[in-house]
Amino acid sequence: MRYKAIKYFVICALSFLPFCAFAQQQSPEEEAKQFREALDKTVDNYTDQFDLEIWQTFYVDSILTHDYEAMQAELKALQSAKMTNQDAYTRVQDKWMEQMYNSLQKVFNEEQWDKYLKAGAARDKKARDKRAAKRK
């Protein structure tokens, strides 16, 4: 149970890092360092929790790095455009979280995927799908 809480916290922290960084006016180097540390911690947690092989750890790291950086860039673009509609930010986060969900499914084996879903991914997917249905 404690591990799920840590994983959830890390995912939330990564999702909201752009907002926190903006509010604190951190230097780009410090922001990048914190981002990388949080990402490394998430990859390490996934490696331990799902007993990933070396090649899987590489792919998970690559997927998360690419997708979180892309999400962060889109969120910063919204922020730069002075977008105040919270739904726009949620939509961007949902888009990239769905991308990560689908990408990780291709990397994990069946047993790892079941563990991933039970660790909270299924609940998060359901919430994303519910928000998407509400928008339509």
Side-chain angles (χ1 to χ4, degrees):
M1 186 58 103
R2 180 174 169 257
Y3 197 70
K4 286 181 188 178
I6 291 171
K7 177 185 166 256
Y8 181 75
F9 173 75
V10 170
I11 289 173
C12 288
L14 286 172
S15 296
F16 294 106
L17 187 62
F19 301 116
C20 297
F22 179 75
Q24 295 176 3
Q25 296 295 324
Q26 294 178 331
S27 69
E29 296 83 20
E30 184 63 29
E31 184 180 329
K33 180 182 174 189
Q34 285 183 349
F35 175 79
R36 189 69 232 176
E37 286 172 358
L39 195 60
D40 287 344
K41 188 172 186 175
T42 301
V43 171
D44 290 343
N45 287 340
Y46 280 12
T47 300
D48 294 340
Q49 185 177 10
F50 307 127
D51 194 29
L52 301 180
E53 295 180 26
I54 293 171
W55 68 270
Q56 289 174 308
T57 301
F58 172 79
Y59 278 112
V60 167
D61 183 56
S62 298
I63 289 165
L64 295 181
T65 299
H66 172 268
D67 291 352
Y68 274 121
E69 285 176 354
M71 179 172 66
Q72 201 172 29
E74 278 193 50
L75 292 172
K76 282 184 181 180
L78 289 175
Q79 203 171 36
S80 296
K82 307 233 187 276
M83 177 69 72
T84 57
N85 182 354
Q86 185 61 36
D87 190 48
Y89 291 92
T90 304
R91 209 173 308 124
V92 168
Q93 290 174 337
D94 284 351
K95 170 184 143 184
W96 287 105
M97 295 305 285
E98 185 69 19
Q99 174 68 31
M100 285 181 253
Y101 177 90
N102 292 328
S103 297
L104 291 175
Q105 186 174 17
K106 295 173 185 175
V107 174
F108 292 165
N109 65 34
E110 204 172 307
E111 181 183 326
Q112 292 164 336
W113 183 247
D114 288 342
K115 285 182 184 179
Y116 178 70
L117 292 176
K118 289 177 185 173
R123 180 188 65 242
D124 296 341
K125 169 74 169 143
K126 185 177 179 181
R128 282 193 306 276
D129 290 346
K130 188 176 180 180
R131 286 190 295 271
K134 198 178 215 182
R135 284 191 287 267
K136 288 184 180 185

